[in-house]
Amino acid sequence: MGNVKDYKIATLGSHTALQILKGARDEGFETICICEKGSTRPYESYGVADQIIEVDSFADYFDIEQTLIDQNAIVIPHGSFVAYLGPQNVKKIKAMHYGTKGILEWESDRTKEKKWLLKAGITLPRLFKSPEDIDRPVIIKFHGAKGGKGYFLANTPEEFYQRYEEYKDFPGHEKFAIQEYIVGVPVYSHYFYSRLTGELEVMGFDKRYESNADSVGRIAAKDQVDVGIHTTYTIAGNVPLVLRESLLPLIFKMGEDVVRTSRDLEGANGGLYGPFCLEGIIDPELNYYVFEISARIVAGTNPYINGSPYAWLRYNEPMSTGRRIARDIKMAIETDKMEAILG
Ligand code: AMP
Ligand code: AMP
């Protein structure tokens, strides 16, 4: 039987690092936080890291990777890995890595992502092939847009071309998706699937707090038009949420269907496991339109470092998603099943 003392848990200091490192500590691991110079303060102040490694930029991760390998550290990926290293470089991580790397490719390519979700029977907003086809409100999303920056809305082809002009300098503006704009409330569903228990868990829900989408309603429609405000979705934070209880059976089913179909994806090495999130909009008929899947921990779990109402029901102890990951790793170590959690 392995021992948690023989391993360390490491991650990049941003996104969900606080709960990942705290959760690892709570499960008995020593922790390492890789910080960009000038960003160490929270990790020192909250006392979650046994060791802080400073780099000029997260993109320099590979310069310090050997230190992690020497210490038998398991790296926990989160949103900043794909954002700052890119999905191709994440694949090159040589240190022990929690989760299947092949899945990240499916979630970061909109075409592949759509194929996967449709196969799982998930309802998606309609996608338009060409701007000429726009016949209703749509949202235009540039590939590689970060944190909701670089989206715009249009109602007609003319409006599309007019707005598109303004994005000429936006990096990656040549590639974009045109999605039906769903009028409803945003709901992000947080899941955890363990290969060791074979069970899907619903960890909680959040909604995003986006600037300026969440502020335009604070001024009159006339002022919105007069000032010429364009809606943007830059993420500033997350708001906790509980869902109407009668929707829970659907939420469980969607999660289970997504996990099951992931096993057939090319390069997915046995499929999706660990934390993931379905991101979408619930309309007035209670249809849940999913526009995105994140195959890793999402920052919407940050309000629940002490556990969400759902995690409380199940665990009766504080269980963040970060801690749930550490517990999965601990179980794998103690039952000698590391191959079930490393990818
Ligand atoms: P950061 O390290 O904060 O720059 O975030 C890395 C990536 O995760 C970026 O693509 C962000 O858009 C995304 N992200 C960061 N924080 C949040 C959040 N609270 N909710 C949703 N996405 C986030
Ligand atoms: P994303 O970066 O894809 O998670 O989307 C950022 C925000 O854009 C979401 O939180 C929603 O507020 C909004 N959004 C994205 N796609 C749609 C859609 N198809 N219909 C309505 N709102 C959307």
Side-chain angles (χ1 to χ4, degrees), residues 13-16 58 78-84 145-149 188 206 208-209 235-238 279 296 298-300 302:
S14 193
H15 195 263
T16 40
F58 287 139
H78 56 53
S80 307
F81 279 77
V82 174
Y84 300 105
K146 267 188 201 160
K149 217 174 192 171
Y188 289 59
D206 80 290
R208 290 173 153 204
Y209 200 45
I235 183 84
N238 303 79
E279 316 183 346
R296 46 158 176 86
V298 291
N302 281 339

Side-chain angles (χ1 to χ4, degrees), residues 13 20 27 31 35 57 60 65 78 87 92 114 123 143 174 193 220 313 321 337:
I20 289 173
E27 294 297 313
T31 58
C35 289
S57 139
D60 299 334
E65 188 175 43
H78 56 53
K92 294 182 192 148
K114 183 183 167 201
T123 310
H143 282 239
E174 303 85 357
Y193 173 73
L313 286 167
T321 294
K337 288 194 180 134

Side-chain angles (χ1 to χ4, degrees), residues 4-12 16-34 48-53 68 71-78 81 95-98 322-331 333 338 341-342:
V4 292
K5 296 284 168 225
D6 298 330
Y7 297 85
K8 290 182 183 174
I9 299 282
T11 198
L12 300 181
T16 40
L18 289 171
Q19 60 160 309
I20 289 173
L21 300 175
K22 160 114 177 82
R25 274 259 181 102
D26 289 344
E27 294 297 313
F29 290 93
E30 269 190 46
T31 58
I32 304 173
C33 189
I34 302 141
V48 293
D50 293 299
Q51 202 187 123
I52 290 179
I53 300 176
L68 303 179
Q71 298 186 70
N72 224 18
I74 301 170
V75 171
I76 315 291
H78 56 53
F81 279 77
M96 286 183 278
H97 171 277
Y98 180 82
R323 184 171 183 182
R324 184 66 191 85
I325 293 171
R327 186 160 290 185
D328 208 39
I329 296 174
K330 182 175 163 183
M331 196 187 229
I333 292 171
M338 292 300 277
I341 58 145
L342 297 180

